[in-house]
Amino acid sequence: MTKNLPWATAWVTGASSGIGRELVLQLAQAGVKVAASARSADKLGELERVQPGIRSYPLDVTDAAAVARTCTEINAQLGSIDLVVLNAAVWQPMGAKDFDCEAAIQVGNVNYNGVVWPLSVVMPQMMKRRSGQIALVGSVAGFRGLPKSVTYAPSKAALINLTETLKTDLEDYGVKISIINPGFVDTPMTRINTFPMPFMVTAPDAAARMITGLKAGRYEIGFPWPTFRMMKLFRKMPNQLYFLITRFMQPLGSQD
């Protein structure tokens, strides 16, 4: 476990399961005061009982007013937020055949707006203090469009672009920002998949890699390495070659 972390107080959204839950546990085990947010109050309560130093703040990250209230409560009860990890996300396999507009809007609302609302509250506070660290959890799926990811991949691509857009501005205020792009991680979200998921890592491993990268102040944190490098290569490929490859990938992602 990483010790001597540079943050006194951290706020993690999407904290009730998967990477978010493990990240909260590992930060708290290292002595960080952690505000854990998710919609499930019961699961957050379990986290509080498992590890001292964790305080639960049940929250729907798409509710702007609730986000603002929660941030105010964290600052008052735990102190100024040094690190925020905006991790809330949903995944729903979907392609052209089963495209559902309402589902697509819902995924975008959580995966993008659910990052923008907390960001809009925390970022000005850090800029005013001229200190702090922000991490947005994207995905290697955001590098290029993938079969059956018609809702998820665009939302993660937006987060990658958003982080790139903010980086230079925030540096002028002494605020660090990072984009975290995991590949396949063994979580409840990925367990619904019926296609191969190569180089999968565990949630504890993923959280440890995130903490190591954030402590080092890295702009981009990606893992596992084979998946990360492969998707980076796809990003640089000519369209014709990439679409030829995705045609062969299509059956792997089929849910029919």
Side-chain angles (χ1 to χ4, degrees), residues 13-43:
T13 64
S16 62
S17 65
I19 298 176
R21 182 180 190 277
E22 190 59 39
L23 182 64
V24 166
L25 287 171
Q26 292 188 23
L27 287 171
Q29 287 165 6
V32 179
K33 292 180 293 183
V34 186
S37 287
R39 285 176 295 181
S40 174
D42 290 343
K43 291 181 179 179

PDB file of all heavy atoms in Angstrom, residues 13-43:
ATOM      1  N   THR A  13     -16.209  10.083  -6.283  1.00  0.00           N
ATOM      2  CA  THR A  13     -17.575   9.768  -6.701  1.00  0.00           C
ATOM      3  C   THR A  13     -17.578   8.365  -7.323  1.00  0.00           C
ATOM      4  O   THR A  13     -16.544   7.821  -7.683  1.00  0.00           O
ATOM      5  CB  THR A  13     -18.110  10.801  -7.703  1.00  0.00           C
ATOM      6  OG1 THR A  13     -17.338  10.746  -8.913  1.00  0.00           O
ATOM      7  CG2 THR A  13     -18.050  12.207  -7.127  1.00  0.00           C
ATOM      8  N   GLY A  14     -18.767   7.794  -7.431  1.00  0.00           N
ATOM      9  CA  GLY A  14     -18.848   6.414  -7.918  1.00  0.00           C
ATOM     10  C   GLY A  14     -18.149   5.452  -6.978  1.00  0.00           C
ATOM     11  O   GLY A  14     -17.488   4.509  -7.400  1.00  0.00           O
ATOM     12  N   ALA A  15     -18.328   5.691  -5.663  1.00  0.00           N
ATOM     13  CA  ALA A  15     -17.509   5.014  -4.654  1.00  0.00           C
ATOM     14  C   ALA A  15     -18.122   3.740  -4.088  1.00  0.00           C
ATOM     15  O   ALA A  15     -17.505   3.090  -3.252  1.00  0.00           O
ATOM     16  CB  ALA A  15     -17.231   5.981  -3.506  1.00  0.00           C
ATOM     17  N   SER A  16     -19.309   3.363  -4.527  1.00  0.00           N
ATOM     18  CA  SER A  16     -19.995   2.252  -3.865  1.00  0.00           C
ATOM     19  C   SER A  16     -19.541   0.880  -4.326  1.00  0.00           C
ATOM     20  O   SER A  16     -19.793  -0.125  -3.652  1.00  0.00           O
ATOM     21  CB  SER A  16     -21.507   2.376  -4.061  1.00  0.00           C
ATOM     22  OG  SER A  16     -21.834   2.313  -5.437  1.00  0.00           O
ATOM     23  N   SER A  17     -18.862   0.798  -5.482  1.00  0.00           N
ATOM     24  CA  SER A  17     -18.443  -0.507  -5.989  1.00  0.00           C
ATOM     25  C   SER A  17     -17.267  -0.334  -6.936  1.00  0.00           C
ATOM     26  O   SER A  17     -16.892   0.779  -7.299  1.00  0.00           O
ATOM     27  CB  SER A  17     -19.599  -1.210  -6.720  1.00  0.00           C
ATOM     28  OG  SER A  17     -19.976  -0.479  -7.889  1.00  0.00           O
ATOM     29  N   GLY A  18     -16.684  -1.463  -7.328  1.00  0.00           N
ATOM     30  CA  GLY A  18     -15.639  -1.455  -8.350  1.00  0.00           C
ATOM     31  C   GLY A  18     -14.412  -0.661  -7.984  1.00  0.00           C
ATOM     32  O   GLY A  18     -13.942  -0.658  -6.839  1.00  0.00           O
ATOM     33  N   ILE A  19     -13.876   0.057  -8.970  1.00  0.00           N
ATOM     34  CA  ILE A  19     -12.654   0.835  -8.779  1.00  0.00           C
ATOM     35  C   ILE A  19     -12.853   1.898  -7.715  1.00  0.00           C
ATOM     36  O   ILE A  19     -11.980   2.129  -6.875  1.00  0.00           O
ATOM     37  CB  ILE A  19     -12.222   1.504 -10.103  1.00  0.00           C
ATOM     38  CG1 ILE A  19     -11.900   0.466 -11.166  1.00  0.00           C
ATOM     39  CG2 ILE A  19     -10.997   2.391  -9.875  1.00  0.00           C
ATOM     40  CD1 ILE A  19     -11.567   1.069 -12.515  1.00  0.00           C
ATOM     41  N   GLY A  20     -13.998   2.575  -7.738  1.00  0.00           N
ATOM     42  CA  GLY A  20     -14.234   3.658  -6.784  1.00  0.00           C
ATOM     43  C   GLY A  20     -14.180   3.179  -5.352  1.00  0.00           C
ATOM     44  O   GLY A  20     -13.553   3.820  -4.495  1.00  0.00           O
ATOM     45  N   ARG A  21     -14.828   2.064  -5.076  1.00  0.00           N
ATOM     46  CA  ARG A  21     -14.828   1.518  -3.719  1.00  0.00           C
ATOM     47  C   ARG A  21     -13.407   1.171  -3.271  1.00  0.00           C
ATOM     48  O   ARG A  21     -12.998   1.491  -2.147  1.00  0.00           O
ATOM     49  CB  ARG A  21     -15.713   0.273  -3.655  1.00  0.00           C
ATOM     50  CG  ARG A  21     -15.815  -0.340  -2.260  1.00  0.00           C
ATOM     51  CD  ARG A  21     -16.708  -1.581  -2.269  1.00  0.00           C
ATOM     52  NE  ARG A  21     -17.002  -2.028  -0.910  1.00  0.00           N
ATOM     53  CZ  ARG A  21     -16.196  -2.792  -0.186  1.00  0.00           C
ATOM     54  NH1 ARG A  21     -15.029  -3.186  -0.699  1.00  0.00           N
ATOM     55  NH2 ARG A  21     -16.535  -3.154   1.043  1.00  0.00           N
ATOM     56  N   GLU A  22     -12.655   0.511  -4.129  1.00  0.00           N
ATOM     57  CA  GLU A  22     -11.296   0.106  -3.769  1.00  0.00           C
ATOM     58  C   GLU A  22     -10.388   1.320  -3.606  1.00  0.00           C
ATOM     59  O   GLU A  22      -9.522   1.349  -2.725  1.00  0.00           O
ATOM     60  CB  GLU A  22     -10.730  -0.832  -4.842  1.00  0.00           C
ATOM     61  CG  GLU A  22      -9.439  -1.499  -4.459  1.00  0.00           C
ATOM     62  CD  GLU A  22      -9.539  -2.337  -3.188  1.00  0.00           C
ATOM     63  OE1 GLU A  22     -10.568  -3.013  -2.992  1.00  0.00           O
ATOM     64  OE2 GLU A  22      -8.576  -2.299  -2.392  1.00  0.00           O
ATOM     65  N   LEU A  23     -10.599   2.331  -4.424  1.00  0.00           N
ATOM     66  CA  LEU A  23      -9.811   3.550  -4.307  1.00  0.00           C
ATOM     67  C   LEU A  23     -10.053   4.224  -2.955  1.00  0.00           C
ATOM     68  O   LEU A  23      -9.100   4.669  -2.290  1.00  0.00           O
ATOM     69  CB  LEU A  23     -10.164   4.505  -5.449  1.00  0.00           C
ATOM     70  CG  LEU A  23      -9.392   5.821  -5.507  1.00  0.00           C
ATOM     71  CD1 LEU A  23      -7.918   5.571  -5.762  1.00  0.00           C
ATOM     72  CD2 LEU A  23      -9.976   6.728  -6.592  1.00  0.00           C
ATOM     73  N   VAL A  24     -11.306   4.298  -2.542  1.00  0.00           N
ATOM     74  CA  VAL A  24     -11.643   4.886  -1.244  1.00  0.00           C
ATOM     75  C   VAL A  24     -10.959   4.121  -0.116  1.00  0.00           C
ATOM     76  O   VAL A  24     -10.361   4.713   0.794  1.00  0.00           O
ATOM     77  CB  VAL A  24     -13.177   4.890  -1.047  1.00  0.00           C
ATOM     78  CG1 VAL A  24     -13.539   5.175   0.403  1.00  0.00           C
ATOM     79  CG2 VAL A  24     -13.831   5.924  -1.958  1.00  0.00           C
ATOM     80  N   LEU A  25     -11.026   2.800  -0.173  1.00  0.00           N
ATOM     81  CA  LEU A  25     -10.406   1.974   0.871  1.00  0.00           C
ATOM     82  C   LEU A  25      -8.900   2.192   0.950  1.00  0.00           C
ATOM     83  O   LEU A  25      -8.334   2.361   2.038  1.00  0.00           O
ATOM     84  CB  LEU A  25     -10.709   0.498   0.613  1.00  0.00           C
ATOM     85  CG  LEU A  25     -12.145   0.040   0.891  1.00  0.00           C
ATOM     86  CD1 LEU A  25     -12.357  -1.373   0.376  1.00  0.00           C
ATOM     87  CD2 LEU A  25     -12.457   0.111   2.371  1.00  0.00           C
ATOM     88  N   GLN A  26      -8.246   2.197  -0.196  1.00  0.00           N
ATOM     89  CA  GLN A  26      -6.787   2.323  -0.196  1.00  0.00           C
ATOM     90  C   GLN A  26      -6.336   3.711   0.235  1.00  0.00           C
ATOM     91  O   GLN A  26      -5.333   3.854   0.946  1.00  0.00           O
ATOM     92  CB  GLN A  26      -6.227   1.964  -1.578  1.00  0.00           C
ATOM     93  CG  GLN A  26      -6.405   0.492  -1.916  1.00  0.00           C
ATOM     94  CD  GLN A  26      -5.695   0.085  -3.198  1.00  0.00           C
ATOM     95  OE1 GLN A  26      -4.739   0.742  -3.635  1.00  0.00           O
ATOM     96  NE2 GLN A  26      -6.141  -0.993  -3.810  1.00  0.00           N
ATOM     97  N   LEU A  27      -7.059   4.734  -0.158  1.00  0.00           N
ATOM     98  CA  LEU A  27      -6.722   6.088   0.295  1.00  0.00           C
ATOM     99  C   LEU A  27      -6.882   6.202   1.808  1.00  0.00           C
ATOM    100  O   LEU A  27      -6.024   6.758   2.504  1.00  0.00           O
ATOM    101  CB  LEU A  27      -7.608   7.117  -0.413  1.00  0.00           C
ATOM    102  CG  LEU A  27      -7.319   7.395  -1.885  1.00  0.00           C
ATOM    103  CD1 LEU A  27      -8.429   8.257  -2.485  1.00  0.00           C
ATOM    104  CD2 LEU A  27      -5.972   8.084  -2.069  1.00  0.00           C
ATOM    105  N   ALA A  28      -7.984   5.676   2.327  1.00  0.00           N
ATOM    106  CA  ALA A  28      -8.234   5.750   3.770  1.00  0.00           C
ATOM    107  C   ALA A  28      -7.199   4.942   4.550  1.00  0.00           C
ATOM    108  O   ALA A  28      -6.746   5.365   5.616  1.00  0.00           O
ATOM    109  CB  ALA A  28      -9.646   5.260   4.084  1.00  0.00           C
ATOM    110  N   GLN A  29      -6.831   3.778   4.021  1.00  0.00           N
ATOM    111  CA  GLN A  29      -5.819   2.949   4.678  1.00  0.00           C
ATOM    112  C   GLN A  29      -4.475   3.670   4.754  1.00  0.00           C
ATOM    113  O   GLN A  29      -3.677   3.418   5.653  1.00  0.00           O
ATOM    114  CB  GLN A  29      -5.663   1.626   3.930  1.00  0.00           C
ATOM    115  CG  GLN A  29      -6.834   0.674   4.130  1.00  0.00           C
ATOM    116  CD  GLN A  29      -6.854  -0.461   3.132  1.00  0.00           C
ATOM    117  OE1 GLN A  29      -5.928  -0.634   2.332  1.00  0.00           O
ATOM    118  NE2 GLN A  29      -7.910  -1.253   3.152  1.00  0.00           N
ATOM    119  N   ALA A  30      -4.242   4.583   3.819  1.00  0.00           N
ATOM    120  CA  ALA A  30      -2.998   5.345   3.803  1.00  0.00           C
ATOM    121  C   ALA A  30      -3.079   6.619   4.637  1.00  0.00           C
ATOM    122  O   ALA A  30      -2.143   7.417   4.642  1.00  0.00           O
ATOM    123  CB  ALA A  30      -2.611   5.688   2.365  1.00  0.00           C
ATOM    124  N   GLY A  31      -4.213   6.829   5.303  1.00  0.00           N
ATOM    125  CA  GLY A  31      -4.329   7.965   6.218  1.00  0.00           C
ATOM    126  C   GLY A  31      -5.028   9.181   5.662  1.00  0.00           C
ATOM    127  O   GLY A  31      -5.082  10.224   6.331  1.00  0.00           O
ATOM    128  N   VAL A  32      -5.601   9.090   4.444  1.00  0.00           N
ATOM    129  CA  VAL A  32      -6.322  10.211   3.851  1.00  0.00           C
ATOM    130  C   VAL A  32      -7.762  10.213   4.374  1.00  0.00           C
ATOM    131  O   VAL A  32      -8.391   9.155   4.489  1.00  0.00           O
ATOM    132  CB  VAL A  32      -6.318  10.109   2.308  1.00  0.00           C
ATOM    133  CG1 VAL A  32      -7.086  11.273   1.687  1.00  0.00           C
ATOM    134  CG2 VAL A  32      -4.893  10.058   1.773  1.00  0.00           C
ATOM    135  N   LYS A  33      -8.296  11.378   4.714  1.00  0.00           N
ATOM    136  CA  LYS A  33      -9.723  11.504   5.024  1.00  0.00           C
ATOM    137  C   LYS A  33     -10.480  11.475   3.693  1.00  0.00           C
ATOM    138  O   LYS A  33     -10.220  12.302   2.817  1.00  0.00           O
ATOM    139  CB  LYS A  33     -10.007  12.811   5.760  1.00  0.00           C
ATOM    140  CG  LYS A  33      -9.425  12.895   7.160  1.00  0.00           C
ATOM    141  CD  LYS A  33      -9.759  14.225   7.829  1.00  0.00           C
ATOM    142  CE  LYS A  33      -9.065  15.390   7.126  1.00  0.00           C
ATOM    143  NZ  LYS A  33      -9.311  16.691   7.798  1.00  0.00           N
ATOM    144  N   VAL A  34     -11.402  10.520   3.550  1.00  0.00           N
ATOM    145  CA  VAL A  34     -12.047  10.317   2.260  1.00  0.00           C
ATOM    146  C   VAL A  34     -13.552  10.538   2.349  1.00  0.00           C
ATOM    147  O   VAL A  34     -14.238   9.912   3.171  1.00  0.00           O
ATOM    148  CB  VAL A  34     -11.778   8.906   1.708  1.00  0.00           C
ATOM    149  CG1 VAL A  34     -12.341   8.787   0.283  1.00  0.00           C
ATOM    150  CG2 VAL A  34     -10.281   8.597   1.706  1.00  0.00           C
ATOM    151  N   ALA A  35     -14.053  11.419   1.506  1.00  0.00           N
ATOM    152  CA  ALA A  35     -15.486  11.598   1.310  1.00  0.00           C
ATOM    153  C   ALA A  35     -15.904  10.682   0.164  1.00  0.00           C
ATOM    154  O   ALA A  35     -15.408  10.815  -0.957  1.00  0.00           O
ATOM    155  CB  ALA A  35     -15.807  13.047   0.974  1.00  0.00           C
ATOM    156  N   ALA A  36     -16.784   9.744   0.463  1.00  0.00           N
ATOM    157  CA  ALA A  36     -17.203   8.758  -0.536  1.00  0.00           C
ATOM    158  C   ALA A  36     -18.633   9.042  -0.969  1.00  0.00           C
ATOM    159  O   ALA A  36     -19.543   9.093  -0.137  1.00  0.00           O
ATOM    160  CB  ALA A  36     -17.106   7.355   0.043  1.00  0.00           C
ATOM    161  N   SER A  37     -18.830   9.232  -2.279  1.00  0.00           N
ATOM    162  CA  SER A  37     -20.160   9.547  -2.806  1.00  0.00           C
ATOM    163  C   SER A  37     -20.608   8.510  -3.827  1.00  0.00           C
ATOM    164  O   SER A  37     -19.820   8.017  -4.635  1.00  0.00           O
ATOM    165  CB  SER A  37     -20.167  10.931  -3.455  1.00  0.00           C
ATOM    166  OG  SER A  37     -20.115  11.949  -2.489  1.00  0.00           O
ATOM    167  N   ALA A  38     -21.881   8.189  -3.768  1.00  0.00           N
ATOM    168  CA  ALA A  38     -22.557   7.326  -4.730  1.00  0.00           C
ATOM    169  C   ALA A  38     -24.036   7.396  -4.397  1.00  0.00           C
ATOM    170  O   ALA A  38     -24.427   7.995  -3.390  1.00  0.00           O
ATOM    171  CB  ALA A  38     -22.045   5.888  -4.637  1.00  0.00           C
ATOM    172  N   ARG A  39     -24.851   6.780  -5.211  1.00  0.00           N
ATOM    173  CA  ARG A  39     -26.284   6.828  -4.942  1.00  0.00           C
ATOM    174  C   ARG A  39     -26.703   5.863  -3.834  1.00  0.00           C
ATOM    175  O   ARG A  39     -27.698   6.098  -3.170  1.00  0.00           O
ATOM    176  CB  ARG A  39     -27.065   6.518  -6.233  1.00  0.00           C
ATOM    177  CG  ARG A  39     -27.066   7.663  -7.227  1.00  0.00           C
ATOM    178  CD  ARG A  39     -27.769   7.296  -8.516  1.00  0.00           C
ATOM    179  NE  ARG A  39     -27.077   6.238  -9.236  1.00  0.00           N
ATOM    180  CZ  ARG A  39     -27.469   5.749 -10.401  1.00  0.00           C
ATOM    181  NH1 ARG A  39     -28.566   6.221 -10.976  1.00  0.00           N
ATOM    182  NH2 ARG A  39     -26.780   4.805 -11.002  1.00  0.00           N
ATOM    183  N   SER A  40     -25.932   4.799  -3.649  1.00  0.00           N
ATOM    184  CA  SER A  40     -26.306   3.775  -2.680  1.00  0.00           C
ATOM    185  C   SER A  40     -25.814   4.119  -1.285  1.00  0.00           C
ATOM    186  O   SER A  40     -24.639   3.931  -0.957  1.00  0.00           O
ATOM    187  CB  SER A  40     -25.737   2.415  -3.109  1.00  0.00           C
ATOM    188  OG  SER A  40     -25.984   1.448  -2.116  1.00  0.00           O
ATOM    189  N   ALA A  41     -26.711   4.592  -0.435  1.00  0.00           N
ATOM    190  CA  ALA A  41     -26.340   4.932   0.938  1.00  0.00           C
ATOM    191  C   ALA A  41     -25.944   3.692   1.730  1.00  0.00           C
ATOM    192  O   ALA A  41     -25.037   3.740   2.573  1.00  0.00           O
ATOM    193  CB  ALA A  41     -27.506   5.640   1.624  1.00  0.00           C
ATOM    194  N   ASP A  42     -26.599   2.560   1.464  1.00  0.00           N
ATOM    195  CA  ASP A  42     -26.290   1.330   2.189  1.00  0.00           C
ATOM    196  C   ASP A  42     -24.857   0.874   1.933  1.00  0.00           C
ATOM    197  O   ASP A  42     -24.124   0.515   2.865  1.00  0.00           O
ATOM    198  CB  ASP A  42     -27.258   0.215   1.791  1.00  0.00           C
ATOM    199  CG  ASP A  42     -28.671   0.467   2.301  1.00  0.00           C
ATOM    200  OD1 ASP A  42     -28.830   1.314   3.213  1.00  0.00           O
ATOM    201  OD2 ASP A  42     -29.609  -0.169   1.789  1.00  0.00           O
ATOM    202  N   LYS A  43     -24.447   0.889   0.681  1.00  0.00           N
ATOM    203  CA  LYS A  43     -23.091   0.452   0.339  1.00  0.00           C
ATOM    204  C   LYS A  43     -22.039   1.413   0.895  1.00  0.00           C
ATOM    205  O   LYS A  43     -20.959   1.003   1.318  1.00  0.00           O
ATOM    206  CB  LYS A  43     -22.941   0.307  -1.175  1.00  0.00           C
ATOM    207  CG  LYS A  43     -23.735  -0.851  -1.754  1.00  0.00           C
ATOM    208  CD  LYS A  43     -23.526  -0.977  -3.256  1.00  0.00           C
ATOM    209  CE  LYS A  43     -24.313  -2.151  -3.819  1.00  0.00           C
ATOM    210  NZ  LYS A  43     -24.134  -2.264  -5.295  1.00  0.00           N
TER     211      LYS A  43
END
